[in-house]
Amino acid sequence: MKIELEILKKIKQFDTIIIHRHQSPDPDAIGSQSGLAAIIRASFPEKKVYQVGAPSAGLAWISDQDEIADDLYNDALVIVIDTANRPRIEDDRYTTGAYLIKLDHHPNEDVYGDLVWVKTGASSSSELVMDLVDQVEGGLTVTDDAARMLYAGIVGDTGRFMYSATTAHTMQVVAELMAYHFSTTKINQKMDNITAGVAKLSGYVYDNLVITEHKAAYVVLTHDYLDSIELGDAGSSQIVPLPGKIIEVQCWAIFVQQKDGSYRVRLRSKGPIINKLAKEHDGGGHPMASGARAKDQAEYEEIVKSLDDLARTYTGE
């Protein structure tokens, strides 16, 4: 039996289904999680389906999250989507269900779950959800709202179809989603709009960006500065692509200071492979887009040096 049918079989088997995603969610995490939940609800109205995780104010327009009691995990199917590594899974209760499925498009370096479906060639986990729907041939029902959420997830993870993970198949999936009744224009505008705080932060990034000798770049966003412009960690996500707009920059890092003095690290690249570097610093991800952690200034300086080395040795071949 192909794995997509095995997943559908498990969905049919359980009366309660709880879907988790990664911490500090992006549009694909919320879109794939909530889109899948909406599809299962429409396909099996008698089932209880929940999407869990800490609220994300900046992405509440895609979907809300559910607050549920611990006892709902008894005899529940748990699906973790768009999360490569166990430490990044939002809500530790994912281990307390009766059966665990991992659905993801990141490199499968942390193999967890009773059933694992990972497609690293997919642009996003939202694309993966539509692949599941298409492969089970009528076994799952897509609603207009589910299509809206999945479209938002794909747009987010492909950088509006600008990143190399965008394939002909991605565009076929997008065309399939656009046949449903929702406004792609409103979603595109929503994802392109920025607040006054993000506008200020954008200027700060360009003013304070450091470009190294070998064309790596980095900027440090302190907790105090983000507070001063009323932006937190999640609010800084919109500025991550900005250094890459500079022609000379090959790869870059955004260091976002946390309340405890550590740093969340967002790594991006136009060519040098960066996910191995991320893995060395409590992270992981895609070859061109990864995340990591730095416990202090010494560690973030170590990451900067390694990033510069990657840019130095990159040949572009």
Side-chain angles (χ1 to χ4, degrees):
M1 182 185 296
K2 64 182 181 180
I3 193 165
E4 296 92 335
L5 292 176
E6 290 183 48
I7 293 168
L8 178 60
K9 181 179 178 181
K10 286 299 177 183
I11 290 171
K12 289 180 176 179
Q13 180 181 335
F14 287 86
D15 295 327
T16 300
I17 300 168
I18 304 169
I19 306 176
H20 290 240
R21 40 77 179 166
H22 63 72
Q23 302 166 4
S24 303
D26 54 16
D28 186 39
I30 298 289
S32 61
Q33 177 198 33
S34 302
L36 178 59
I39 287 168
I40 296 173
R41 290 188 190 104
S43 306
F44 307 101
E46 73 284 359
K47 296 184 183 296
K48 297 176 180 177
V49 185
Y50 305 96
Q51 61 242 25
V52 300
S56 178
L59 297 174
W61 63 272
I62 299 179
S63 182
D64 294 325
Q65 303 288 283
D66 298 315
E67 294 185 15
I68 63 174
D70 293 350
D71 60 6
L72 284 176
Y73 284 84
N74 297 336
D75 301 319
L77 169 64
V78 176
I79 300 174
V80 177
I81 194 163
D82 197 43
T83 313
N85 307 312
R86 278 171 281 193
R88 292 201 68 213
I89 300 173
E90 176 75 42
D91 196 325
D92 291 341
R93 294 179 295 174
Y94 77 93
T95 61
T96 62
Y99 195 88
L100 178 61
I101 297 177
K102 175 184 181 181
L103 302 181
D104 195 21
H105 72 120
H106 299 93
N108 195 27
E109 295 172 349
D110 185 358
V111 182
Y112 62 85
D114 302 297
L115 182 61
V116 178
W117 188 36
V118 173
K119 285 182 65 176
T120 55
S123 71
S124 56
S125 290
S126 294
E127 179 181 317
L128 190 63
V129 171
M130 281 305 293
D131 287 343
L132 173 64
V133 170
D134 291 339
Q135 289 300 312
V136 299
E137 299 175 347
L140 293 170
T141 301
V142 179
T143 64
D144 292 338
D145 202 40
R148 176 188 65 84
M149 292 184 279
L150 295 176
Y151 176 84
I154 293 174
V155 170
D157 247 29
T158 60
R160 299 176 183 82
F161 314 113
M162 191 168 59
Y163 301 153
S164 60
T166 307
T167 64
H169 177 68
T170 303
M171 303 311 290
Q172 289 168 352
V173 171
V174 168
E176 186 179 352
L177 291 170
M178 290 178 71
Y180 290 86
H181 297 288
F182 67 94
S183 174
T184 57
T185 300
K186 287 183 179 179
I187 291 175
N188 295 338
Q189 289 174 341
K190 183 74 176 179
M191 298 183 76
D192 192 52
N193 289 341
I194 61 173
T195 64
V198 172
K200 290 179 182 178
L201 182 58
S202 299
Y204 181 92
V205 167
Y206 283 132
D207 282 345
N208 292 274
L209 190 72
V210 178
I211 301 177
T212 68
E213 179 184 357
H214 301 105
K215 309 307 179 187
Y218 71 95
V219 67
V220 179
L221 308 179
T222 67
H223 177 68
D224 288 345
Y225 175 72
L226 291 175
D227 268 0
S228 75
I229 58 172
E230 299 181 348
L231 280 178
D233 187 346
S236 66
S237 62
Q238 287 180 275
I239 56 83
V240 174
L242 295 185
K245 295 181 182 294
I246 300 172
I247 293 173
E248 293 83 3
V249 171
Q250 292 296 316
C251 50
W252 63 98
I254 309 290
F255 295 95
V256 184
Q257 189 181 44
Q258 308 296 297
K259 289 181 180 180
D260 64 359
S262 66
Y263 297 85
R264 180 182 180 185
V265 189
R266 293 182 170 103
L267 294 167
R268 297 294 185 270
S269 176
K270 296 177 185 175
I273 303 302
I274 55 173
N275 56 346
K276 183 178 178 181
L277 171 60
K279 190 176 179 182
E280 292 170 353
H281 295 274
D282 193 26
H286 299 288
M288 304 295 164
S290 294
R293 299 278 177 179
K295 63 180 180 295
D296 52 27
Q297 181 174 340
E299 187 170 4
Y300 93 57
E301 290 176 351
E302 181 183 341
I303 292 172
V304 169
K305 183 179 183 304
S306 297
L307 196 64
D308 185 57
D309 286 341
L310 288 175
R312 176 179 57 81
T313 58
Y314 177 65
T315 63
E317 296 176 357

